[in-house]
Structure formats: structure tokens, C-alpha cells
Short mmCIF file of all heavy atoms in Angstrom, two decimals:
data_model
loop_
_atom_site.label_atom_id
_atom_site.label_comp_id
_atom_site.label_asym_id
_atom_site.label_seq_id
_atom_site.Cartn_x
_atom_site.Cartn_y
_atom_site.Cartn_z
N PRO Q 1 112.76 100.71 106.72
CA PRO Q 1 112.27 101.77 105.83
C PRO Q 1 113.17 102.99 105.77
O PRO Q 1 112.94 103.88 104.95
CB PRO Q 1 110.92 102.14 106.47
CG PRO Q 1 111.12 101.87 107.92
CD PRO Q 1 111.99 100.64 107.98
N ASP Q 2 114.21 103.02 106.59
CA ASP Q 2 115.05 104.22 106.73
C ASP Q 2 115.55 104.79 105.40
O ASP Q 2 115.48 106.02 105.20
CB ASP Q 2 116.24 103.93 107.64
CG ASP Q 2 115.83 103.39 109.01
OD1 ASP Q 2 114.79 102.69 109.08
OD2 ASP Q 2 116.54 103.63 109.99
N PRO Q 3 116.09 103.96 104.48
CA PRO Q 3 116.59 104.55 103.22
C PRO Q 3 115.49 105.21 102.40
O PRO Q 3 115.72 106.25 101.77
CB PRO Q 3 117.18 103.34 102.49
CG PRO Q 3 117.43 102.31 103.53
CD PRO Q 3 116.35 102.52 104.54
N LEU Q 4 114.30 104.61 102.39
CA LEU Q 4 113.20 105.18 101.63
C LEU Q 4 112.70 106.48 102.26
O LEU Q 4 112.40 107.44 101.56
CB LEU Q 4 112.06 104.16 101.55
CG LEU Q 4 112.35 102.96 100.65
CD1 LEU Q 4 111.34 101.86 100.89
CD2 LEU Q 4 112.37 103.36 99.19
N LEU Q 5 112.64 106.50 103.57
CA LEU Q 5 112.22 107.72 104.25
C LEU Q 5 113.27 108.82 104.07
O LEU Q 5 112.92 110.01 103.94
CB LEU Q 5 111.99 107.43 105.73
CG LEU Q 5 110.83 106.47 106.03
CD1 LEU Q 5 110.76 106.16 107.52
CD2 LEU Q 5 109.50 107.04 105.54
N HIS Q 6 114.54 108.42 104.03
CA HIS Q 6 115.61 109.40 103.77
C HIS Q 6 115.47 109.98 102.37
O HIS Q 6 115.64 111.19 102.17
CB HIS Q 6 116.97 108.72 103.94
CG HIS Q 6 118.13 109.64 103.72
ND1 HIS Q 6 118.46 110.64 104.61
CD2 HIS Q 6 119.05 109.72 102.72
CE1 HIS Q 6 119.52 111.29 104.18
NE2 HIS Q 6 119.89 110.76 103.02
N ALA Q 7 115.16 109.13 101.39
CA ALA Q 7 114.97 109.61 100.02
C ALA Q 7 113.82 110.62 99.96
O ALA Q 7 113.91 111.65 99.29
CB ALA Q 7 114.68 108.43 99.09
N CYS Q 8 112.74 110.33 100.68
CA CYS Q 8 111.60 111.25 100.71
C CYS Q 8 111.97 112.57 101.35
O CYS Q 8 111.54 113.64 100.91
CB CYS Q 8 110.43 110.61 101.45
SG CYS Q 8 109.66 109.25 100.55
N LYS Q 9 112.79 112.51 102.39
CA LYS Q 9 113.22 113.74 103.05
C LYS Q 9 114.08 114.58 102.11
O LYS Q 9 113.93 115.80 102.03
CB LYS Q 9 113.99 113.39 104.32
CG LYS Q 9 114.42 114.61 105.13
CD LYS Q 9 115.13 114.19 106.41
CE LYS Q 9 115.54 115.42 107.22
NZ LYS Q 9 116.24 115.03 108.49
N LEU Q 10 114.99 113.90 101.38
CA LEU Q 10 115.87 114.61 100.45
C LEU Q 10 115.08 115.33 99.36
O LEU Q 10 115.41 116.45 98.97
CB LEU Q 10 116.85 113.63 99.79
CG LEU Q 10 117.98 113.06 100.64
CD1 LEU Q 10 118.76 112.02 99.84
CD2 LEU Q 10 118.92 114.18 101.10
N ALA Q 11 114.05 114.66 98.86
CA ALA Q 11 113.29 115.18 97.72
C ALA Q 11 111.98 115.84 98.12
O ALA Q 11 111.19 116.22 97.25
CB ALA Q 11 113.02 114.05 96.73
N THR Q 12 111.73 115.98 99.42
CA THR Q 12 110.50 116.58 99.94
C THR Q 12 109.27 115.87 99.37
O THR Q 12 108.41 116.47 98.72
CB THR Q 12 110.44 118.08 99.62
OG1 THR Q 12 111.72 118.68 99.85
CG2 THR Q 12 109.43 118.77 100.52
N LEU Q 13 109.22 114.56 99.61
CA LEU Q 13 108.14 113.73 99.11
C LEU Q 13 107.29 113.22 100.27
O LEU Q 13 107.79 112.99 101.37
CB LEU Q 13 108.69 112.54 98.33
CG LEU Q 13 109.55 112.82 97.10
CD1 LEU Q 13 110.19 111.53 96.61
CD2 LEU Q 13 108.71 113.45 96.00
N ASP Q 14 106.02 113.00 100.00
CA ASP Q 14 105.13 112.35 100.94
C ASP Q 14 105.21 110.85 100.66
O ASP Q 14 104.82 110.40 99.57
CB ASP Q 14 103.70 112.86 100.73
CG ASP Q 14 102.70 112.18 101.65
OD1 ASP Q 14 103.06 111.21 102.34
OD2 ASP Q 14 101.53 112.60 101.63
N PRO Q 15 105.71 110.03 101.60
CA PRO Q 15 105.85 108.59 101.34
C PRO Q 15 104.55 107.93 100.88
O PRO Q 15 104.58 107.02 100.04
CB PRO Q 15 106.31 108.02 102.69
CG PRO Q 15 107.00 109.16 103.35
CD PRO Q 15 106.23 110.39 102.93
N SER Q 16 103.42 108.40 101.39
CA SER Q 16 102.14 107.78 101.02
C SER Q 16 101.77 108.05 99.57
O SER Q 16 100.87 107.40 99.03
CB SER Q 16 101.03 108.28 101.94
OG SER Q 16 100.76 109.65 101.71
N ARG Q 17 102.46 108.98 98.95
CA ARG Q 17 102.22 109.29 97.54
C ARG Q 17 103.38 108.82 96.65
O ARG Q 17 103.58 109.34 95.56
CB ARG Q 17 101.97 110.79 97.36
CG ARG Q 17 100.68 111.26 98.02
CD ARG Q 17 100.43 112.73 97.78
NE ARG Q 17 100.35 113.06 96.35
CZ ARG Q 17 99.29 112.89 95.59
NH1 ARG Q 17 98.19 112.38 96.11
NH2 ARG Q 17 99.29 113.22 94.32
N CYS Q 18 104.11 107.83 97.16
CA CYS Q 18 105.23 107.27 96.40
C CYS Q 18 105.01 105.78 96.15
O CYS Q 18 104.30 105.10 96.89
CB CYS Q 18 106.55 107.45 97.15
SG CYS Q 18 107.04 109.17 97.37
N ILE Q 19 105.64 105.29 95.11
CA ILE Q 19 105.63 103.87 94.76
C ILE Q 19 107.07 103.38 94.83
O ILE Q 19 107.98 104.05 94.33
CB ILE Q 19 105.07 103.64 93.34
CG1 ILE Q 19 103.60 104.08 93.27
CG2 ILE Q 19 105.20 102.18 92.94
CD1 ILE Q 19 103.06 104.11 91.85
N TYR Q 20 107.27 102.22 95.46
CA TYR Q 20 108.61 101.63 95.47
C TYR Q 20 108.57 100.31 94.72
O TYR Q 20 107.69 99.47 94.93
CB TYR Q 20 109.11 101.39 96.90
CG TYR Q 20 110.56 100.96 96.93
CD1 TYR Q 20 111.53 101.69 96.26
CD2 TYR Q 20 110.97 99.82 97.60
CE1 TYR Q 20 112.86 101.31 96.26
CE2 TYR Q 20 112.30 99.43 97.63
CZ TYR Q 20 113.24 100.17 96.95
OH TYR Q 20 114.56 99.79 96.95
N VAL Q 21 109.56 100.13 93.84
CA VAL Q 21 109.63 98.95 92.97
C VAL Q 21 110.90 98.18 93.31
O VAL Q 21 112.00 98.75 93.33
CB VAL Q 21 109.65 99.36 91.48
CG1 VAL Q 21 109.48 98.12 90.60
CG2 VAL Q 21 108.59 100.40 91.18
N GLY Q 22 110.76 96.88 93.57
CA GLY Q 22 111.93 96.07 93.89
C GLY Q 22 111.75 94.62 93.52
O GLY Q 22 110.62 94.16 93.28
N ASP Q 23 112.86 93.90 93.47
CA ASP Q 23 112.83 92.49 93.05
C ASP Q 23 113.16 91.53 94.18
O ASP Q 23 113.48 90.37 93.94
CB ASP Q 23 113.81 92.26 91.89
CG ASP Q 23 115.26 92.39 92.32
OD1 ASP Q 23 115.58 93.30 93.10
OD2 ASP Q 23 116.08 91.56 91.88
N ASP Q 24 113.10 92.01 95.43
CA ASP Q 24 113.38 91.16 96.59
C ASP Q 24 112.36 91.46 97.67
O ASP Q 24 111.86 92.58 97.76
CB ASP Q 24 114.80 91.43 97.10
CG ASP Q 24 115.25 90.40 98.11
OD1 ASP Q 24 114.91 90.54 99.31
OD2 ASP Q 24 115.95 89.44 97.73
N ILE Q 25 112.08 90.47 98.50
CA ILE Q 25 111.08 90.65 99.55
C ILE Q 25 111.45 91.79 100.50
O ILE Q 25 110.59 92.49 101.02
CB ILE Q 25 110.85 89.33 100.32
CG1 ILE Q 25 109.65 89.48 101.26
CG2 ILE Q 25 112.11 88.90 101.06
CD1 ILE Q 25 109.22 88.17 101.89
N ARG Q 26 112.75 92.01 100.70
CA ARG Q 26 113.14 93.11 101.61
C ARG Q 26 112.75 94.47 101.03
O ARG Q 26 112.49 95.41 101.78
CB ARG Q 26 114.64 93.07 101.91
CG ARG Q 26 115.54 93.35 100.74
CD ARG Q 26 116.99 93.48 101.15
NE ARG Q 26 117.82 93.41 99.97
CZ ARG Q 26 118.38 92.28 99.52
NH1 ARG Q 26 118.20 91.16 100.18
NH2 ARG Q 26 119.10 92.28 98.42
N ASP Q 27 112.68 94.57 99.69
CA ASP Q 27 112.23 95.81 99.07
C ASP Q 27 110.77 96.08 99.41
O ASP Q 27 110.39 97.21 99.72
CB ASP Q 27 112.40 95.74 97.55
CG ASP Q 27 113.84 95.54 97.13
OD1 ASP Q 27 114.73 96.14 97.76
OD2 ASP Q 27 114.08 94.78 96.18
N ILE Q 28 109.98 95.04 99.32
CA ILE Q 28 108.56 95.19 99.59
C ILE Q 28 108.32 95.48 101.07
O ILE Q 28 107.50 96.33 101.43
CB ILE Q 28 107.80 93.91 99.16
CG1 ILE Q 28 108.10 93.59 97.68
CG2 ILE Q 28 106.31 94.08 99.39
CD1 ILE Q 28 107.85 94.74 96.72
N LYS Q 29 109.06 94.80 101.94
CA LYS Q 29 108.93 95.07 103.38
C LYS Q 29 109.31 96.51 103.70
O LYS Q 29 108.62 97.18 104.47
CB LYS Q 29 109.84 94.11 104.16
CG LYS Q 29 109.34 92.68 104.21
CD LYS Q 29 110.27 91.80 105.04
CE LYS Q 29 109.73 90.39 105.19
NZ LYS Q 29 110.64 89.52 105.98
N ALA Q 30 110.40 96.99 103.10
CA ALA Q 30 110.84 98.36 103.35
C ALA Q 30 109.81 99.36 102.83
O ALA Q 30 109.48 100.35 103.51
CB ALA Q 30 112.19 98.60 102.70
N GLY Q 31 109.31 99.13 101.64
CA GLY Q 31 108.33 100.03 101.06
C GLY Q 31 107.05 100.11 101.87
O GLY Q 31 106.51 101.19 102.12
N LYS Q 32 106.56 98.95 102.30
CA LYS Q 32 105.34 98.93 103.10
C LYS Q 32 105.56 99.60 104.44
O LYS Q 32 104.69 100.33 104.94
CB LYS Q 32 104.86 97.49 103.26
CG LYS Q 32 104.36 96.84 101.97
CD LYS Q 32 104.06 95.38 102.15
CE LYS Q 32 102.77 95.17 102.92
NZ LYS Q 32 101.59 95.60 102.13
N ALA Q 33 106.73 99.35 105.05
CA ALA Q 33 107.03 99.97 106.35
C ALA Q 33 107.14 101.48 106.24
O ALA Q 33 106.88 102.20 107.20
CB ALA Q 33 108.32 99.39 106.92
N ALA Q 34 107.53 101.96 105.05
CA ALA Q 34 107.63 103.41 104.82
C ALA Q 34 106.29 104.03 104.46
O ALA Q 34 106.19 105.24 104.32
CB ALA Q 34 108.64 103.69 103.71
N GLY Q 35 105.27 103.19 104.28
CA GLY Q 35 103.95 103.70 103.94
C GLY Q 35 103.74 103.93 102.46
O GLY Q 35 102.85 104.68 102.06
#
């Protein structure tokens, strides 16, 4: 989840209020792990 959490830190976002969209299972795993 590190890249997604880094993006949230850069943009001052709450991960639980974000949606991640991807076309590979690793995208979904990363998004879920980031909350």
C-alpha cells in the first residue's frame, strides 16, 4: 500500500475516503491494504 499512502500524504487525503481504480489484482490488494 506504500505508493497509495504516499499519494494520500502528498495530497493530504484520508485513505478511507479515497477510491483506487486498477486493472490488476495487485492494484486491488494495494488499495484494500491502504484502506
Side-chain angles (χ1 to χ4, degrees):
D2 306 31
L4 289 166
L5 295 175
H6 181 70
C8 289
K9 183 177 180 180
L10 288 175
T12 318
L13 300 170
D14 178 352
S16 68
R17 294 182 58 81
C18 295
I19 297 170
Y20 188 52
V21 190
D23 69 319
D24 192 277
I25 189 171
R26 67 172 166 266
D27 299 322
I28 305 307
K29 287 182 176 179
K32 292 173 74 68

